[in-house]
Amino acid sequence: MSYREERRADQAAAREADREDRRLELEGHLRAKELKAEQDRKDADIRRRQEQADRKQAAAEKTAKKAARAAKNAKRVRWLKSNPATLFVAFVMVASIVPALVSQVGALTGASVPGAMAALLAAMLEGGAWAITFMGKQAEDAGREPRKYRIATWCTASMAAAVNFWHGTEQYADHPWVAFVLGGSSLFAIYIWDLKTHGSHGKTRAQKAEDKARQEHAKRRRKDHKAIADQADRLQSAMPYGALDDESAFAAAWRIATGAEPAMSAELYAQATNATVALGAAFELGEHVRPELLETGLKVAQFNPFREIAQPPTAQAGIGLYGSEGPAGEGSSPAPSGRTDEELRELLPDALVAAAELVAEGAQISAAGLAKKLTIRREDAKRLRDLVIAERKLHVA
């Protein structure tokens, strides 16, 4: 290849390389523009979403504020509807305090007291009365005695009323009754406040009736159970203050004196036990004389005043009572010898009569009792006792 041909080839290759470089550069510019456009779209989408979220949040906050204002207004309306007396009290108090202050300022100014000083002195009298009033209310809410605050309030208000009364007698000499009205303006607001505050804190009729009934109960208790009440007082004085209340002290003293729970005693337990035994005998009588008596006895037992200490009707009739003995076959092996089952069934009528006698005597239906009455072996009596109890349960059912 000649030199010219090589040179043309080199120039063609250079031109081709330049074209390729320009193509790559153009593609790079286009790709950069596409990436920038894509990023701009993404940024715009993010801004749009953020603006939408901000608008939604603003709308939600606005709705919440409206709901809060509506709830507050509704609460205020409900309070106004449920507290009309409070509104009238506030109105009357304002209508009383303002004229009282104006009258005091006029009285002090008429006595050649400078205006500013007259206003301060008037505020001292009326404001002092109300300052002491609020201090008393705070003390009462804290559980302290407000009596001294109430006395101080009325003394200060009386001084202010005297100033207004003196001013009224001079200012309205032709109408002296106005002096009483001006003097009362310093007292009326305090009086209304006192009624509203202390009158609403008083006890209701039900509370007063309960307190009276409680006091009468305490008097009857001390009269009927003087020794136990005195013992309760001694228990309380022996314990730290407040550690033992009146009811707990009396219950403890009752247990110490009687050994029983409050309102019960050994005599009452004995009476209840005797009544239970008598009722058991009545069941037995009904079982062997007239069946309708048994049904009547069961109904009467439902009204037993000693239900918590009495046994169920089946136990009162001697059913299911074993005493210290267990049922035959529990904890012991069968007797090696004795009467047969047929022989025991032949003895069953006599055993039922013997069991009735045991119940009438207030005793339990036991193997020992049956063995003694029927003069049979102890082992046979145990088996016969089970037959008797099964027969009695069947009859009661």
Side-chain angles (χ1 to χ4, degrees):
M1 181 181 297
S2 64
Y3 171 75
R4 290 183 178 179
E5 291 178 351
E6 290 179 357
R7 185 175 180 182
R8 283 195 298 270
D10 292 339
Q11 290 176 350
R15 287 193 297 272
E16 183 65 24
D18 290 339
R19 285 194 298 271
E20 184 66 20
D21 291 340
R22 286 193 296 273
R23 186 184 66 80
L24 293 175
E25 183 178 359
L26 181 60
E27 288 181 355
H29 285 300
L30 293 175
R31 181 59 179 168
K33 288 182 178 179
E34 290 177 357
L35 292 176
K36 186 175 183 303
E38 182 67 21
Q39 186 63 39
D40 291 341
R41 285 193 298 273
K42 290 181 179 180
D43 293 342
D45 186 55
I46 292 174
R47 286 193 299 270
R48 185 172 58 257
R49 291 180 181 179
Q50 185 63 39
E51 290 175 356
Q52 292 176 353
D54 292 341
R55 285 194 297 270
K56 290 181 180 180
Q57 183 177 0
E61 291 178 353
K62 186 177 181 180
T63 303
K65 289 180 180 179
K66 288 182 178 179
R69 284 196 300 270
K72 188 175 181 180
N73 293 333
K75 183 178 180 181
R76 187 181 294 112
V77 170
R78 287 195 302 270
W79 186 90
L80 293 175
K81 289 182 178 180
S82 60
N83 296 276
T86 303
L87 295 176
F88 285 108
V89 167
F91 172 76
V92 171
M93 289 174 62
V94 172
S96 175
I97 294 171
V98 173
L101 282 171
V102 173
S103 177
Q104 289 174 25
V105 171
L108 294 171
T109 303
S112 301
V113 177
M117 184 178 295
L120 291 175
L121 290 175
M124 178 194 71
L125 288 175
E126 287 293 333
W130 285 105
I132 299 172
T133 297
F134 293 136
M135 290 169 62
K137 180 65 169 59
Q138 186 178 7
E140 186 176 8
D141 292 340
R144 298 192 297 272
E145 176 58 45
R147 182 179 179 83
K148 62 180 181 180
Y149 294 100
R150 296 180 67 185
I151 294 174
T153 297
W154 282 104
C155 290
T156 308
S158 298
M159 292 175 59
V163 172
N164 285 337
F165 180 79
W166 169 78
H167 176 64
T169 56
E170 290 190 347
Q171 187 72 21
Y172 305 98
D174 296 336
H175 304 283
W177 57 271
V178 178
F180 290 96
V181 176
L182 291 176
S185 64
S186 293
L187 299 175
F188 194 72
I190 299 294
Y191 177 69
I192 292 295
W193 171 270
D194 206 36
L195 286 180
K196 178 69 171 62
T197 304
H198 299 286
S200 60
H201 290 178
K203 293 184 178 180
T204 62
R205 291 183 178 179
Q207 291 173 336
K208 291 179 180 179
E210 183 180 357
D211 291 343
K212 184 178 179 180
R214 191 184 301 276
Q215 293 173 1
E216 292 178 355
H217 176 266
K219 290 180 181 179
R220 289 197 305 270
R221 169 180 282 181
R222 187 163 292 277
K223 178 182 178 181
D224 297 339
H225 313 285
K226 186 177 186 304
I228 297 178
D230 293 341
Q231 179 63 42
D233 294 340
R234 288 192 290 272
L235 290 177
Q236 284 183 306
S237 64
M239 296 290 288
Y241 175 76
L244 197 62
D245 57 50
D246 294 342
E247 292 299 329
S248 299
F250 188 83
W254 186 283
R255 296 187 186 97
I256 293 172
T258 65
E261 290 300 310
M264 292 301 295
S265 65
E267 292 78 7
L268 291 176
Y269 279 118
Q271 183 179 353
T273 303
N274 291 334
T276 302
V277 172
L279 184 61
F283 276 114
E284 189 61 34
L285 180 64
E287 182 179 355
H288 288 281
V289 180
R290 294 200 305 272
E292 60 269 16
L293 289 180
L294 178 60
E295 182 180 358
T296 303
L298 286 171
K299 292 181 178 178
V300 172
Q302 297 176 359
F303 304 98
N304 188 355
F306 301 101
R307 188 180 300 233
E308 66 278 2
I309 63 173
Q311 298 170 343
T314 55
Q316 292 170 349
I319 299 175
L321 298 178
Y322 295 96
S324 61
E325 304 176 7
E330 286 188 7
S332 60
S333 59
S337 62
R339 297 174 186 266
T340 63
D341 293 340
E342 290 76 9
E343 292 174 336
L344 291 177
R345 289 193 181 91
E346 291 177 359
L347 287 175
L348 182 58
D350 296 333
L352 289 172
V353 175
E357 294 176 355
L358 289 174
V359 173
E361 295 169 359
Q364 298 176 353
I365 302 176
S366 62
L370 293 177
K372 183 177 179 180
K373 285 187 174 292
L374 300 176
T375 61
I376 60 177
R377 293 163 52 90
R378 183 72 171 267
E379 291 77 7
D380 294 335
K382 287 183 178 179
R383 298 165 59 198
L384 187 59
R385 178 201 59 196
D386 293 343
L387 293 176
V388 169
I389 289 182
E391 183 68 20
R392 290 168 66 86
K393 285 183 177 179
L394 179 63
H395 188 77
V396 172

